[in-house]
Amino acid sequence: MNEVSHIPIGDDAKRHPISRKCMRALMLIAPVFLALASMITVDNSLARRLEHLALDWRFQTRDKALPRQDIVIVEVDEESRRQLREEDRRFNIREHLPLAIDRIMEAGALAVGLDVLLDARTSDDLDQPLADVISKSNIVLAVTHTEGKLNRPIESFLESSPAEGCISVYPDEDGVLRRLPPELYLDVVNADGTLSTIPHFPLSLALYGILEEEQVETIEFNEIGARIGTRFIRSAETIDYVGTKGDGWRTLKYADVVAGNFDNDMLEGTVVILGESRMIADQFALPIGPPTSPGIYYHANVVAQLLDNRHLNTKWMENQRSSLLVGGLTLLSGFLAWHQRRWWEYKRGSMLLAAYILGLLTLFGAGWVLLSLAMFTRNVVLPLPTPVLCIFVSLASGFAAQLVVTSMNSRRLLESSRQIEALFSRNVSRSVLDTLKRNPEQVMETRQCEASILFCDLRGFSTLSTDMSPKKVAELLNEYFNTIADAVLENNGFIDKFVGDEIMAVFSVPLEQKDHALRAVRTALAIKSKLRGLNNKRRQESKSLLECGIGIHTGEVAAGHIGSAERSNFTVVGTTVNIAARIEELTRGGEILVSDTVESRASADAAMSYWKTVTLRGLDKPVKLYSVKEEALA
């Protein structure tokens, strides 16, 4: 028997490319795992550090806005110190401070905030004039509270009960001052035993500016922040910085104020902040501007924010919301990144996969950066580096996984293609073979399906071959089979086997064909036509003519690898095969007989006539048989 194949079909050979079920599981499990992992990463020191840097970057890249012009900063700078210092004496700000305050208030300023700690006595000649000026002016005096130690102005400055403000600030872990203190006031006990509430310094100063608009005289505090009229600000709120030194703030030098070298109109109706601009102890790292800036610019930004009633919306930076946001973005990008398409089936699948992942990275990574910048211009702060990093990890892991899957499946597909080439290259047409290579799973498992079986057998072969040598018999069979095999392959049939002088062909196996019955009939007619051509040639060579009988039946079969683990054939088995063989046995030379099942499927396109009803060997139920006429197909 001439078999379809004799190659081992063991576990390795039968291995499928990664199944769609497995890919769907990967697509679900991996993104969920990555999303849960990303939610944990939000609350750690590295993530906070990165978010701080990203916030600073947004401050620095945002278009600069002109600060409020009703806030004026008086800088006690190095030049002022040189101009106002007496010979052989150190600079003492109290020597000229009363005159500076008088000039500021006479110019029409609403209040002066002294960002200068006056907690030590000097001399009555210096302290008393300053106390007198404080008693008749809207002054906010500085207080510090550091490591549990409270430093207030000396008693003579407090006798007139001036406003006080705590200038203590609390930078973030990286030393940058981005937020208001966690407590916006201090409760202190006065010398007479009474209790005073000292607000944060810029709040005390902003009260004078708000007073002009809303006639509000007090600041109300609660557990989450402070309210001044219609303005509310939260404890530890992120400050919406608009600028630092050189960014448009109205400034004066202390020496010019003392000398009166300024336009009074510049100070009318303003809030003035007076303080050091050169002392190292009063320099802070702010999110914008140079590496360090004077503390007076911190106070100016907070006062401006209160007067504008302007706030940064940082609710998406809170741990719970940030975790949900990061987890959701990671999950969504992960589902797309781990969407295991069968990239190996595409030409240049790896390039398509790379383009797909790069597209996702642009959509999610670059898209989130642009969205964060756009929302920051609307005073909404979104987490930036944490989502981008988690999205990148999600996309990179999906890309790596898909590359592995693509590579693994490509190798398996190549192995399967080689097996299929060995199994079917001489038994199916090239188009069927190429389709099988692209879809090897169709022949990896035994499946039940409907198919049409054709048997074709030479008539009188035994008599013909009696006087022939074995070599001549082999030459005759090869010439005969080459002729009729072409007819099978032209109709995309599958040559199941050669048995002696008989050929068995199957239609709708290994690839499904809806018109398999008609294909079988067409093949039978093509065999007769090709056999006539062969006989014409043999007649010219004075050789014996050949005749064959053909039987066809349609029904259910099992198609797959039949045999042992070491040796097996891809074939079809079932009663349908036996019936087709029995029908062929009833034919005479040149006759084509088909069952009623075939007739019902193909009679509309092929000329057939009833032949007879017979009871085939091995069957109890009679079968109607039809003869296929020589007329052309419709």
Side-chain angles (χ1 to χ4, degrees):
M1 181 173 68
N2 200 353
E3 299 173 337
V4 172
S5 64
H6 281 302
I7 66 172
I9 306 295
D11 291 338
D12 289 340
K14 286 185 177 180
R15 273 190 309 172
H16 289 218
I18 288 183
S19 66
R20 296 183 185 275
K21 183 177 180 180
C22 181
M23 290 192 293
R24 284 195 295 269
L26 277 174
M27 180 182 171
L28 289 173
I29 295 173
V32 171
F33 172 78
L34 290 170
L36 292 175
S38 69
M39 293 174 70
I40 299 173
T41 65
V42 171
D43 188 22
N44 64 71
S45 58
L46 177 60
R48 287 192 295 271
R49 170 66 174 157
L50 292 175
E51 290 298 345
H52 288 160
L53 293 175
L55 177 62
D56 298 349
W57 173 66
R58 278 173 280 188
F59 272 122
Q60 293 161 8
T61 56
R62 185 173 67 176
D63 292 338
K64 293 290 190 297
L66 185 67
R68 289 185 68 106
Q69 299 299 288
D70 55 356
I71 298 174
V72 177
I73 297 172
V74 177
E75 296 186 4
V76 183
D77 59 349
E78 188 62 39
E79 184 180 346
S80 295
R81 286 171 171 269
R82 286 197 303 269
Q83 291 180 15
L84 300 175
R85 185 172 57 225
E86 299 289 341
E87 290 187 13
D88 301 327
R89 290 175 58 187
R90 294 180 62 186
F91 172 78
N92 190 332
I93 194 173
R94 297 189 193 185
E95 291 184 16
H96 307 94
L97 193 54
L99 178 58
I101 294 173
D102 274 338
R103 292 191 184 282
I104 291 171
M105 298 305 297
E106 288 173 1
L110 301 177
V112 179
L114 298 181
D115 186 17
V116 179
L117 191 59
L118 304 174
D119 61 339
R121 295 180 181 275
T122 55
S123 65
D124 290 342
D125 291 342
L126 294 179
D127 291 346
Q128 190 56 49
L130 181 56
D132 293 340
V133 170
I134 291 173
S135 66
K136 63 181 182 180
S137 306
N138 291 334
I139 300 293
V140 179
L141 300 179
V143 175
T144 62
H145 185 261
T146 307
E147 298 180 353
K149 182 181 179 181
L150 179 67
N151 294 306
R152 298 180 71 185
I154 60 176
E155 186 176 345
S156 62
F157 296 155
L158 297 178
E159 287 179 353
S160 60
S161 300
E164 295 177 87
C166 182
I167 60 174
S168 298
V169 292
Y170 301 87
D172 288 324
E173 298 170 352
D174 57 356
V176 180
L177 185 54
R178 300 183 181 89
R179 293 174 175 78
L180 291 170
E183 296 289 341
L184 295 178
Y185 65 95
L186 297 173
D187 284 331
V188 298
V189 179
N190 299 313
D192 58 3
T194 59
L195 189 68
S196 294
T197 297
I198 300 178
H200 188 41
F201 183 83
L203 272 66
S204 293
L205 193 55
L207 177 62
Y208 289 99
I210 298 172
L211 176 63
E212 286 294 301
E213 299 178 17
E214 301 187 23
Q215 302 301 311
V216 178
E217 298 182 359
T218 59
I219 304 174
E220 299 176 7
F221 296 98
N222 56 39
E223 63 276 6
I224 61 173
R227 183 176 297 280
I228 308 176
T230 59
R231 275 83 161 178
F232 181 81
I233 196 163
R234 291 185 298 119
S235 302
E237 180 174 325
T238 301
I239 301 164
D240 185 14
Y241 284 98
V242 294
T244 182
K245 187 177 178 69
D247 288 334
W249 293 100
R250 302 182 74 179
T251 61
L252 289 171
K253 295 182 182 297
Y254 182 59
D256 290 338
V257 172
V258 172
N261 295 330
F262 62 91
D263 185 356
N264 285 354
D265 292 340
M266 179 179 177
L267 297 182
E268 185 175 359
T270 64
V271 173
V272 178
I273 305 173
L274 188 153
E276 293 282 356
S277 67
R278 44 81 69 188
M279 291 182 62
I280 296 176
D282 202 36
Q283 297 284 323
F284 299 92
L286 303 183
I288 56 177
T292 59
S293 297
I296 47 181
Y297 286 95
Y298 160 80
H299 296 308
N301 275 281
V302 177
V303 172
Q305 184 167 330
L306 273 165
L307 294 178
D308 290 335
N309 201 19
R310 169 172 40 85
H311 307 275
L312 286 177
N313 183 349
T314 58
K315 64 181 181 181
W316 291 108
M317 300 295 292
E318 297 168 2
N319 283 343
Q320 185 174 4
R321 294 193 184 205
S322 181
S323 295
L324 291 175
L325 181 62
V326 171
L329 287 170
T330 306
L331 185 65
L332 180 58
S333 61
F335 271 133
L336 293 175
W338 284 79
H339 184 59
Q340 296 284 351
R341 300 190 60 164
R342 299 170 71 89
W343 297 101
W344 57 90
E345 294 180 355
Y346 297 101
K347 187 178 181 181
R348 300 179 180 176
S350 297
M351 293 180 62
L352 290 174
L353 172 58
Y356 178 72
I357 295 296
L358 286 174
L360 292 180
L361 187 60
T362 301
L363 175 65
F364 283 93
W368 188 254
V369 172
L370 293 175
L371 177 63
S372 298
L373 290 173
M375 294 303 292
F376 192 68
T377 63
R378 293 166 174 78
N379 291 335
V380 177
V381 182
L382 297 175
L384 181 53
T386 306
V388 170
L389 285 174
C390 289
I391 288 170
F392 177 79
V393 170
S394 179
L395 295 178
S397 63
F399 178 62
Q402 295 214 50
L403 274 181
V404 171
V405 171
T406 299
S407 176
M408 182 169 53
N409 281 280
S410 295
R411 289 195 301 270
R412 291 180 178 177
L413 191 60
L414 181 60
E415 292 173 7
S416 299
S417 296
R418 289 171 179 168
Q419 292 179 19
I420 290 170
E421 183 80 35
L423 282 168
F424 298 102
S425 61
R426 290 179 294 180
N427 300 85
V428 296
S429 66
R430 174 50 60 179
S431 63
V432 173
L433 183 63
D434 291 341
T435 304
L436 288 177
K437 287 181 178 180
R438 291 192 299 270
N439 302 276
E441 63 274 6
Q442 297 196 43
V443 294
M444 290 299 179
E445 301 289 343
T446 299
R447 62 187 179 95
Q448 184 171 323
C449 60
E450 185 182 77
S452 293
I453 312 298
L454 179 150
F455 276 92
C456 178
D457 189 26
L458 273 176
R459 292 292 177 259
F461 177 71
S462 298
T463 302
L464 183 64
S465 62
T466 300
D467 298 327
M468 298 175 66
S469 66
K471 182 179 179 181
K472 291 294 184 181
V473 172
E475 291 175 354
L476 170 63
L477 288 176
N478 284 335
E479 184 180 34
Y480 166 68
F481 283 136
N482 281 335
T483 300
I484 65 174
D486 287 343
V488 177
L489 299 181
E490 287 170 1
N491 286 281
N492 288 334
F494 163 54
I495 300 175
D496 189 289
K497 60 177 66 74
F498 298 102
V499 183
D501 61 338
E502 182 179 62
I503 184 174
M504 172 182 167
V506 185
F507 298 86
S508 202
V509 170
L511 296 182
E512 181 181 356
Q513 298 163 331
K514 294 183 179 180
D515 59 343
H516 51 82
L518 181 58
R519 287 176 182 269
V521 172
R522 284 175 171 169
T523 300
L525 292 172
I527 288 173
K528 290 191 65 175
S529 175
K530 289 181 180 294
L531 195 56
R532 279 196 297 270
L534 176 61
N535 281 333
N536 290 335
K537 177 183 176 184
R538 291 179 65 84
R539 186 178 293 109
Q540 294 173 4
E541 297 173 352
S542 300
K543 294 180 180 180
S544 301
L545 302 184
L546 304 177
E547 288 188 329
C548 66
I550 302 173
I552 306 172
H553 179 55
T554 294
E556 292 290 324
V557 297
H561 295 278
I562 307 299
S564 66
E566 289 75 25
R567 291 174 63 84
S568 64
N569 305 320
F570 186 87
T571 187
V572 295
V573 295
T575 304
T576 299
V577 178
N578 297 332
I579 292 175
R582 301 289 183 268
I583 294 174
E584 182 272 323
E585 291 173 357
L586 299 177
T587 61
R588 294 171 297 179
E591 194 169 33
I592 303 173
L593 294 180
V594 302
S595 66
D596 53 355
T597 313
V598 178
E599 189 273 340
S600 65
R601 304 290 181 85
S603 61
D605 298 289
M608 299 183 188
S609 61
Y610 174 73
W611 187 66
K612 68 170 67 173
T613 300
V614 299
T615 300
L616 300 175
R617 178 162 49 91
L619 295 179
D620 296 331
K621 186 177 179 180
V623 178
K624 288 184 179 180
L625 299 181
Y626 292 82
S627 175
V628 179
K629 298 179 180 180
E630 290 287 341
E631 287 87 346
L633 293 169

